[in-house]
Amino acid sequence: MTHANRQRRRRSVIGLVALAGLSASACGGSGGGSTVVPAADGVLRIVGDDTQDFNADGYQIAAGEVTIEYTLDGFQEHTLVIEGREDEMRLAVENGGTDTGTITLEPGRYILYCDIAGHRIGGMEARLLVE
Ligand SMILES: [Cu+2]
């Protein structure tokens, strides 16, 4: 990753924090708009699809033991892992299926992605804010 990319990512994380303070998300905005989906009832629900995208650019959950429910709105196989924690949890879905896993996360900023070749670069990457 280039230095310029890191700078861009850092700025977009700051944007995520700013957005998290608002109850409304930036739905329907231009392509660069971020949406942040908070966990509900302690479960973080993430939806992927065959356009190689997640249903939000950012997610938010409380620190501790985190439950992630990953559903595929599509048919191709997709996965969900957390950068640097790939050995601890790998969710895999296909044909409209759902996979659920738990992982213990300290407060911080993480990156979620699909580890199938080509999918992360194709757009299956999102931020996860753990507070
Ligand atoms: Cu994928």
Side-chain angles (χ1 to χ4, degrees), residues 11-94:
R11 270 200 299 278
S12 55
V13 166
I14 291 167
L16 170 69
V17 171
L19 261 182
L22 306 169
S23 57
S25 63
C27 287
S30 64
S34 292
T35 56
V36 177
V37 173
D41 305 324
V43 178
L44 181 59
R45 293 178 175 85
I46 299 175
V47 180
D49 66 39
D50 287 341
T51 69
Q52 297 185 8
D53 202 5
F54 296 123
N55 62 323
D57 300 323
Y59 300 89
Q60 188 179 354
I61 196 166
E65 190 177 78
V66 167
T67 298
I68 298 177
E69 184 184 283
Y70 183 39
T71 299
L72 179 65
D73 180 16
F75 299 96
Q76 301 169 4
E77 185 185 5
H78 295 283
T79 70
L80 183 75
V81 295
I82 298 173
E83 189 175 68
R85 308 291 289 270
E86 290 87 348
D87 293 343
E88 295 175 60
M89 187 190 69
R90 182 176 187 269
L91 305 180
V93 292
E94 61 183 337

Coordinates of all heavy atoms in Angstrom, one line a residue, residues 11-94:
R11 N -7.9 9.6 6.6 CA -9.0 10.7 6.5 C -10.3 10.1 6.5 O -11.2 10.6 7.1 CB -8.7 11.5 5.2 CG -7.8 12.7 5.5 CD -8.0 13.8 4.4 NE -7.7 13.3 3.1 CZ -6.5 13.2 2.6 NH1 -5.5 13.6 3.3 NH2 -6.3 12.8 1.4
S12 N -10.5 8.9 5.8 CA -11.9 8.4 5.7 C -12.3 7.8 7.1 O -13.5 7.8 7.4 CB -12.0 7.4 4.6 OG -11.1 6.4 4.7
V13 N -11.3 7.3 7.9 CA -11.7 6.9 9.2 C -12.1 8.0 10.1 O -13.1 7.9 10.8 CB -10.5 6.1 9.8 CG1 -10.7 5.9 11.3 CG2 -10.3 4.8 9.2
I14 N -11.5 9.2 9.9 CA -11.9 10.3 10.7 C -13.4 10.7 10.3 O -14.2 11.0 11.1 CB -11.0 11.5 10.4 CG1 -9.6 11.2 11.1 CG2 -11.5 12.8 11.0 CD1 -8.5 12.1 10.7
G15 N -13.6 10.6 9.0 CA -15.0 10.8 8.5 C -16.0 9.9 9.1 O -17.1 10.3 9.4
L16 N -15.6 8.6 9.3 CA -16.4 7.6 9.9 C -16.8 8.0 11.3 O -17.9 8.0 11.7 CB -15.7 6.3 9.9 CG -16.4 5.1 10.7 CD1 -17.7 4.7 10.0 CD2 -15.4 4.0 10.8
V17 N -15.8 8.5 12.1 CA -16.0 8.9 13.4 C -17.0 10.0 13.5 O -17.9 10.1 14.3 CB -14.7 9.2 14.1 CG1 -15.0 9.8 15.5 CG2 -13.9 8.0 14.3
A18 N -16.8 11.0 12.6 CA -17.7 12.1 12.5 C -19.1 11.7 12.2 O -20.1 12.1 12.8 CB -17.2 13.1 11.5
L19 N -19.3 10.8 11.3 CA -20.6 10.3 10.9 C -21.2 9.5 12.0 O -22.4 9.6 12.2 CB -20.5 9.3 9.7 CG -20.8 9.8 8.3 CD1 -20.6 8.7 7.3 CD2 -22.1 10.4 8.3
A20 N -20.4 8.8 12.8 CA -21.0 8.0 13.9 C -21.7 8.8 14.9 O -22.5 8.3 15.6 CB -19.9 7.1 14.5
G21 N -21.3 10.1 15.0 CA -21.9 11.0 15.9 C -23.3 11.4 15.5 O -24.1 12.0 16.3
L22 N -23.7 11.2 14.3 CA -25.0 11.5 13.8 C -25.9 10.3 13.7 O -25.4 9.2 13.5 CB -24.8 12.1 12.4 CG -23.8 13.3 12.2 CD1 -23.6 13.6 10.7 CD2 -24.4 14.5 12.9
S23 N -27.1 10.5 14.0 CA -28.0 9.4 13.9 C -28.4 9.0 12.5 O -28.6 7.9 12.1 CB -29.3 9.6 14.7 OG -29.9 10.7 14.2
A24 N -28.4 10.0 11.6 CA -28.7 9.7 10.2 C -27.5 9.3 9.4 O -26.4 9.8 9.6 CB -29.3 11.0 9.6
S25 N -27.6 8.4 8.5 CA -26.5 8.0 7.7 C -26.6 8.8 6.3 O -27.7 9.3 6.0 CB -26.4 6.5 7.5 OG -27.6 6.1 6.8
A26 N -25.6 8.7 5.6 CA -25.6 9.4 4.3 C -26.1 8.5 3.2 O -25.4 8.4 2.1 CB -24.1 9.9 4.0
C27 N -27.2 7.9 3.3 CA -27.8 7.1 2.3 C -28.1 7.9 1.0 O -28.5 9.0 1.1 CB -29.1 6.4 2.8 SG -28.8 5.2 4.0
G28 N -27.8 7.3 -0.1 CA -28.2 7.9 -1.3 C -27.3 9.0 -1.8 O -27.6 9.7 -2.7
G29 N -26.2 9.1 -1.1 CA -25.2 10.2 -1.5 C -24.4 9.8 -2.7 O -24.7 8.7 -3.3
S30 N -23.5 10.5 -3.0 CA -22.6 10.2 -4.2 C -21.8 9.0 -3.8 O -21.7 8.5 -2.7 CB -21.7 11.4 -4.5 OG -20.9 11.7 -3.4
G31 N -21.1 8.5 -4.8 CA -20.3 7.3 -4.7 C -19.4 7.3 -3.5 O -19.1 6.3 -2.9
G32 N -18.8 8.5 -3.1 CA -17.9 8.6 -2.0 C -18.5 8.6 -0.7 O -17.8 8.6 0.3
G33 N -19.8 8.7 -0.6 CA -20.5 8.8 0.7 C -20.3 7.6 1.5 O -20.4 6.5 1.1
S34 N -20.2 7.8 2.8 CA -20.0 6.7 3.8 C -21.3 6.4 4.5 O -22.1 7.3 4.8 CB -19.0 7.0 4.8 OG -17.7 7.0 4.2
T35 N -21.6 5.1 4.7 CA -22.7 4.8 5.6 C -22.1 4.0 6.7 O -21.2 3.2 6.5 CB -23.8 4.0 4.9 OG1 -23.1 2.8 4.3 CG2 -24.4 4.7 3.8
V36 N -22.6 4.2 7.9 CA -22.2 3.4 9.1 C -23.3 2.7 9.7 O -24.4 3.3 10.0 CB -21.6 4.4 10.1 CG1 -21.1 3.6 11.4 CG2 -20.4 5.1 9.6
V37 N -23.2 1.4 9.8 CA -24.3 0.6 10.4 C -23.9 0.1 11.8 O -22.9 -0.6 11.9 CB -24.6 -0.6 9.5 CG1 -25.6 -1.6 10.1 CG2 -25.0 -0.2 8.1
P38 N -24.6 0.5 12.8 CA -24.3 0.1 14.2 C -24.8 -1.3 14.4 O -25.8 -1.8 13.7 CB -25.0 1.1 15.0 CG -26.1 1.6 14.2 CD -25.7 1.5 12.8
A39 N -24.3 -2.0 15.4 CA -24.8 -3.3 15.8 C -26.2 -3.1 16.5 O -26.4 -2.1 17.0 CB -23.8 -4.0 16.7
A40 N -27.0 -4.1 16.4 CA -28.3 -4.1 17.0 C -28.3 -5.3 18.0 O -28.0 -6.4 17.5 CB -29.4 -4.1 16.0
D41 N -28.7 -5.1 19.2 CA -28.8 -6.2 20.2 C -27.5 -7.0 20.3 O -27.5 -8.2 20.5 CB -29.9 -7.2 19.8 CG -31.2 -6.5 19.7 OD1 -31.5 -5.5 20.4 OD2 -32.0 -6.9 18.8
G42 N -26.4 -6.3 20.1 CA -25.1 -6.9 20.3 C -24.6 -7.8 19.1 O -23.6 -8.4 19.1
V43 N -25.4 -7.8 18.1 CA -25.1 -8.6 16.9 C -24.9 -7.6 15.7 O -25.7 -6.7 15.4 CB -26.2 -9.6 16.5 CG1 -25.9 -10.3 15.2 CG2 -26.5 -10.5 17.6
L44 N -23.7 -7.8 15.1 CA -23.4 -6.9 13.9 C -23.8 -7.7 12.7 O -23.3 -8.8 12.4 CB -21.9 -6.6 13.9 CG -21.5 -5.7 12.7 CD1 -22.2 -4.4 12.7 CD2 -20.0 -5.6 12.8
R45 N -24.8 -7.2 11.9 CA -25.3 -7.8 10.7 C -24.7 -7.2 9.5 O -24.9 -6.0 9.3 CB -26.8 -7.8 10.7 CG -27.4 -8.6 11.8 CD -28.9 -8.6 11.9 NE -29.4 -9.5 12.9 CZ -29.6 -9.2 14.2 NH1 -29.2 -8.0 14.6 NH2 -30.0 -10.1 15.0
I46 N -24.0 -8.0 8.7 CA -23.4 -7.5 7.5 C -23.9 -8.3 6.3 O -24.1 -9.5 6.4 CB -21.8 -7.7 7.6 CG1 -21.3 -6.9 8.8 CG2 -21.1 -7.2 6.3 CD1 -19.8 -7.1 9.1
V47 N -24.2 -7.6 5.2 CA -24.7 -8.2 4.0 C -23.7 -8.0 2.9 O -23.3 -6.8 2.7 CB -26.1 -7.7 3.6 CG1 -26.6 -8.4 2.4 CG2 -27.1 -7.9 4.8
G48 N -23.4 -9.0 2.2 CA -22.5 -8.9 1.0 C -23.3 -9.3 -0.2 O -24.4 -9.9 -0.1
D49 N -22.8 -8.9 -1.4 CA -23.5 -9.2 -2.6 C -22.6 -9.6 -3.7 O -21.4 -9.4 -3.6 CB -24.6 -8.2 -3.0 CG -23.9 -6.9 -3.4 OD1 -22.9 -6.9 -4.1 OD2 -24.5 -5.8 -3.1
D50 N -23.1 -10.0 -4.8 CA -22.3 -10.5 -6.0 C -21.7 -9.3 -6.8 O -20.9 -9.6 -7.7 CB -23.1 -11.4 -6.9 CG -23.3 -12.7 -6.2 OD1 -22.6 -13.1 -5.3 OD2 -24.2 -13.5 -6.7
T51 N -22.0 -8.1 -6.4 CA -21.3 -7.0 -7.1 C -20.0 -6.7 -6.3 O -19.3 -5.7 -6.5 CB -22.1 -5.7 -7.1 OG1 -22.2 -5.2 -5.8 CG2 -23.4 -5.9 -7.7
Q52 N -19.6 -7.6 -5.4 CA -18.4 -7.5 -4.5 C -18.5 -6.3 -3.7 O -17.6 -5.4 -3.8 CB -17.1 -7.6 -5.4 CG -17.0 -8.9 -6.1 CD -15.7 -9.1 -6.8 OE1 -14.8 -8.3 -6.7 NE2 -15.6 -10.2 -7.5
D53 N -19.6 -6.2 -2.9 CA -19.7 -5.0 -2.1 C -20.4 -5.5 -0.8 O -21.1 -6.5 -0.8 CB -20.6 -4.0 -2.8 CG -20.4 -2.6 -2.2 OD1 -19.5 -2.4 -1.3 OD2 -21.1 -1.7 -2.6
F54 N -20.2 -4.7 0.3 CA -20.9 -4.9 1.5 C -22.0 -3.8 1.6 O -22.0 -2.9 0.8 CB -20.0 -4.7 2.7 CG -18.9 -5.8 2.8 CD1 -17.6 -5.4 2.9 CD2 -19.2 -7.1 2.9 CE1 -16.6 -6.4 3.0 CE2 -18.2 -8.1 2.9 CZ -16.9 -7.7 3.0
N55 N -22.9 -4.0 2.5 CA -24.1 -3.1 2.5 C -23.7 -1.8 3.2 O -24.6 -0.9 3.3 CB -25.3 -3.7 3.2 CG -25.1 -4.1 4.6 OD1 -24.0 -4.6 5.0 ND2 -26.1 -4.0 5.5
A56 N -22.5 -1.6 3.7 CA -22.1 -0.3 4.2 C -20.6 -0.2 4.1 O -19.9 -1.2 3.9 CB -22.5 -0.2 5.7
D57 N -20.1 1.0 4.1 CA -18.6 1.3 4.1 C -18.0 1.2 5.5 O -16.8 1.0 5.6 CB -18.3 2.7 3.6 CG -18.9 2.9 2.2 OD1 -18.8 2.0 1.4 OD2 -19.4 4.0 1.9
G58 N -18.9 1.3 6.5 CA -18.4 1.2 7.9 C -19.4 0.6 8.8 O -20.6 0.7 8.6
Y59 N -18.9 -0.1 9.8 CA -19.8 -0.7 10.8 C -19.2 -0.4 12.2 O -18.1 0.1 12.3 CB -19.8 -2.2 10.7 CG -20.3 -2.7 9.3 CD1 -19.4 -2.8 8.2 CD2 -21.6 -2.9 9.1 CE1 -19.8 -3.2 7.0 CE2 -22.1 -3.3 7.8 CZ -21.2 -3.5 6.8 OH -21.6 -3.8 5.6
Q60 N -20.1 -0.5 13.2 CA -19.7 -0.1 14.5 C -20.3 -1.1 15.5 O -21.4 -1.5 15.4 CB -20.4 1.3 14.7 CG -19.9 2.0 16.0 CD -20.6 3.4 16.0 OE1 -21.3 3.8 15.1 NE2 -20.5 4.1 17.1
I61 N -19.5 -1.4 16.5 CA -19.9 -2.4 17.5 C -19.2 -2.1 18.9 O -18.1 -1.5 18.9 CB -19.8 -3.8 17.1 CG1 -20.6 -4.8 17.9 CG2 -18.3 -4.2 17.0 CD1 -20.8 -6.2 17.3
A62 N -19.8 -2.5 20.0 CA -19.2 -2.4 21.3 C -18.1 -3.4 21.4 O -18.2 -4.5 20.9 CB -20.2 -2.5 22.4
A63 N -17.0 -3.0 22.1 CA -15.9 -3.9 22.4 C -16.3 -5.1 23.2 O -17.3 -5.1 24.0 CB -14.7 -3.2 23.0
G64 N -15.5 -6.2 23.2 CA -15.8 -7.4 23.9 C -16.0 -8.5 23.0 O -15.5 -8.6 21.9
E65 N -16.8 -9.5 23.4 CA -17.1 -10.6 22.5 C -18.2 -10.1 21.5 O -19.3 -9.7 21.9 CB -17.6 -11.8 23.3 CG -17.7 -13.0 22.4 CD -18.2 -14.3 23.2 OE1 -19.4 -14.4 23.5 OE2 -17.3 -15.1 23.5
V66 N -17.8 -10.1 20.3 CA -18.6 -9.6 19.2 C -19.2 -10.7 18.4 O -18.5 -11.6 18.0 CB -17.7 -8.7 18.3 CG1 -18.3 -8.3 17.0 CG2 -17.2 -7.5 19.1
T67 N -20.5 -10.6 18.1 CA -21.1 -11.6 17.2 C -21.3 -11.0 15.9 O -21.9 -9.9 15.8 CB -22.4 -12.2 17.8 OG1 -22.1 -12.8 19.0 CG2 -23.1 -13.1 16.8
I68 N -20.9 -11.6 14.8 CA -21.1 -11.1 13.5 C -21.9 -12.1 12.7 O -21.6 -13.3 12.6 CB -19.8 -10.8 12.7 CG1 -18.9 -9.8 13.5 CG2 -20.0 -10.4 11.3 CD1 -17.6 -9.5 12.9
E69 N -23.0 -11.6 12.1 CA -23.9 -12.4 11.3 C -23.7 -11.9 9.8 O -24.1 -10.8 9.5 CB -25.3 -12.2 11.8 CG -26.3 -13.1 11.1 CD -27.7 -12.8 11.6 OE1 -28.1 -13.3 12.7 OE2 -28.5 -12.1 10.9
Y70 N -23.2 -12.8 9.0 CA -22.9 -12.4 7.6 C -23.8 -13.1 6.7 O -23.9 -14.3 6.6 CB -21.4 -12.8 7.4 CG -20.9 -12.4 6.0 CD1 -21.2 -11.2 5.4 CD2 -20.0 -13.2 5.4 CE1 -20.6 -10.8 4.2 CE2 -19.4 -12.9 4.1 CZ -19.8 -11.7 3.6 OH -19.2 -11.4 2.4
T71 N -24.6 -12.3 5.9 CA -25.6 -12.9 5.0 C -25.2 -12.5 3.6 O -24.7 -11.4 3.3 CB -27.0 -12.3 5.3 OG1 -27.3 -12.7 6.7 CG2 -28.0 -12.9 4.4
L72 N -25.4 -13.4 2.7 CA -25.1 -13.1 1.2 C -26.4 -12.9 0.5 O -27.3 -13.7 0.4 CB -24.4 -14.3 0.6 CG -24.1 -14.0 -0.9 CD1 -23.1 -12.9 -1.1 CD2 -23.5 -15.3 -1.5
D73 N -26.5 -11.7 -0.1 CA -27.6 -11.4 -1.0 C -27.1 -11.7 -2.4 O -26.8 -10.7 -3.2 CB -28.0 -9.9 -0.8 CG -29.1 -9.5 -1.8 OD1 -29.8 -10.4 -2.3 OD2 -29.3 -8.3 -2.0
G74 N -26.9 -12.9 -2.7 CA -26.4 -13.3 -4.0 C -26.1 -14.8 -4.0 O -26.6 -15.6 -3.2
F75 N -25.2 -15.2 -4.9 CA -25.0 -16.7 -5.1 C -23.5 -17.1 -5.0 O -23.2 -18.2 -4.6 CB -25.6 -17.1 -6.4 CG -27.1 -16.9 -6.5 CD1 -27.6 -15.7 -7.1 CD2 -28.0 -17.8 -5.9 CE1 -28.9 -15.5 -7.2 CE2 -29.3 -17.5 -6.0 CZ -29.8 -16.4 -6.6
Q76 N -22.6 -16.2 -5.4 CA -21.2 -16.6 -5.5 C -20.7 -16.7 -4.0 O -21.2 -16.1 -3.1 CB -20.4 -15.5 -6.2 CG -20.8 -15.2 -7.6 CD -20.1 -14.0 -8.1 OE1 -19.3 -13.4 -7.4 NE2 -20.5 -13.6 -9.3
E77 N -19.6 -17.5 -3.9 CA -19.0 -17.7 -2.5 C -18.3 -16.4 -2.2 O -17.6 -15.8 -2.9 CB -18.0 -18.8 -2.5 CG -17.5 -19.0 -1.1 CD -16.4 -20.1 -1.0 OE1 -16.0 -20.6 -2.1 OE2 -16.0 -20.4 0.1
H78 N -18.5 -15.9 -0.9 CA -17.8 -14.8 -0.3 C -17.5 -15.1 1.1 O -18.2 -15.9 1.8 CB -18.7 -13.5 -0.4 CG -19.0 -13.0 -1.8 ND1 -18.1 -12.4 -2.6 CD2 -20.1 -13.2 -2.6 CE1 -18.6 -12.1 -3.8 NE2 -19.8 -12.6 -3.8
T79 N -16.5 -14.4 1.6 CA -16.0 -14.6 3.0 C -16.0 -13.3 3.7 O -16.2 -12.2 3.1 CB -14.6 -15.2 3.0 OG1 -13.7 -14.3 2.6 CG2 -14.5 -16.5 2.2
L80 N -15.8 -13.3 5.0 CA -15.6 -12.1 5.8 C -14.6 -12.4 6.8 O -14.7 -13.4 7.6 CB -16.9 -11.7 6.5 CG -16.9 -10.4 7.2 CD1 -16.8 -9.2 6.3 CD2 -18.0 -10.3 8.2
V81 N -13.5 -11.6 6.8 CA -12.5 -11.8 7.8 C -12.1 -10.4 8.3 O -12.4 -9.4 7.7 CB -11.2 -12.5 7.3 CG1 -11.5 -13.9 6.9 CG2 -10.6 -11.7 6.1
I82 N -11.4 -10.3 9.4 CA -10.9 -9.0 10.0 C -9.4 -9.0 9.8 O -8.7 -9.9 10.1 CB -11.2 -8.9 11.4 CG1 -12.8 -8.9 11.6 CG2 -10.6 -7.6 12.0 CD1 -13.2 -9.0 13.1
E83 N -8.9 -7.9 9.1 CA -7.5 -7.8 8.8 C -6.6 -8.0 10.1 O -6.9 -7.3 11.1 CB -7.2 -6.4 8.2 CG -5.8 -6.3 7.7 CD -5.6 -4.9 7.0 OE1 -5.7 -3.9 7.7 OE2 -5.5 -4.9 5.8
G84 N -5.7 -8.9 10.1 CA -4.8 -9.1 11.2 C -5.3 -10.2 12.1 O -4.6 -10.6 13.0
R85 N -6.6 -10.6 12.0 CA -7.3 -11.5 12.9 C -7.9 -12.7 12.0 O -8.8 -13.3 12.5 CB -8.4 -10.8 13.7 CG -7.9 -9.6 14.4 CD -6.9 -9.9 15.5 NE -7.6 -10.5 16.6 CZ -8.2 -9.8 17.7 NH1 -8.1 -8.5 17.7 NH2 -8.8 -10.4 18.6
E86 N -7.3 -12.9 10.9 CA -7.8 -13.9 9.9 C -7.9 -15.3 10.5 O -8.7 -16.1 10.2 CB -7.0 -13.9 8.6 CG -7.2 -12.6 7.8 CD -6.3 -11.5 8.1 OE1 -5.6 -11.6 9.2 OE2 -6.2 -10.5 7.3
D87 N -6.9 -15.6 11.4 CA -6.9 -16.9 12.0 C -8.0 -17.2 13.0 O -8.3 -18.3 13.4 CB -5.5 -17.2 12.6 CG -4.4 -17.2 11.6 OD1 -4.7 -17.4 10.4 OD2 -3.2 -17.1 12.1
E88 N -8.6 -16.1 13.5 CA -9.6 -16.3 14.6 C -11.0 -16.4 14.1 O -11.8 -17.0 14.8 CB -9.5 -15.1 15.5 CG -8.2 -15.0 16.2 CD -8.1 -13.7 17.1 OE1 -8.9 -13.5 18.0 OE2 -7.2 -12.9 16.8
M89 N -11.3 -15.9 13.0 CA -12.7 -16.0 12.5 C -12.7 -15.8 11.0 O -12.1 -14.9 10.4 CB -13.6 -14.9 13.1 CG -15.1 -15.0 12.8 SD -16.0 -13.6 13.3 CE -15.4 -12.4 12.1
R90 N -13.4 -16.7 10.3 CA -13.5 -16.6 8.8 C -14.9 -17.1 8.5 O -15.2 -18.3 8.6 CB -12.5 -17.4 8.1 CG -12.6 -17.3 6.5 CD -11.5 -18.1 5.9 NE -11.4 -17.8 4.4 CZ -12.0 -18.6 3.5 NH1 -12.8 -19.6 3.9 NH2 -11.9 -18.3 2.2
L91 N -15.8 -16.1 8.1 CA -17.2 -16.5 7.8 C -17.2 -16.7 6.3 O -16.6 -16.0 5.5 CB -18.1 -15.4 8.2 CG -18.1 -15.0 9.7 CD1 -19.0 -13.9 10.0 CD2 -18.3 -16.2 10.6
A92 N -18.0 -17.7 5.9 CA -18.1 -18.0 4.4 C -19.6 -18.3 4.1 O -20.3 -19.0 4.8 CB -17.3 -19.3 4.1
V93 N -20.0 -17.6 3.0 CA -21.4 -17.7 2.6 C -21.5 -18.0 1.1 O -20.6 -17.6 0.3 CB -22.2 -16.5 2.9 CG1 -22.4 -16.3 4.4 CG2 -21.5 -15.2 2.4
E94 N -22.6 -18.6 0.7 CA -22.9 -18.7 -0.8 C -24.4 -19.0 -0.9 O -25.0 -19.4 0.1 CB -22.1 -19.7 -1.5 CG -22.2 -21.1 -1.0 CD -21.3 -22.1 -1.7 OE1 -20.9 -21.8 -2.8 OE2 -21.0 -23.2 -1.1

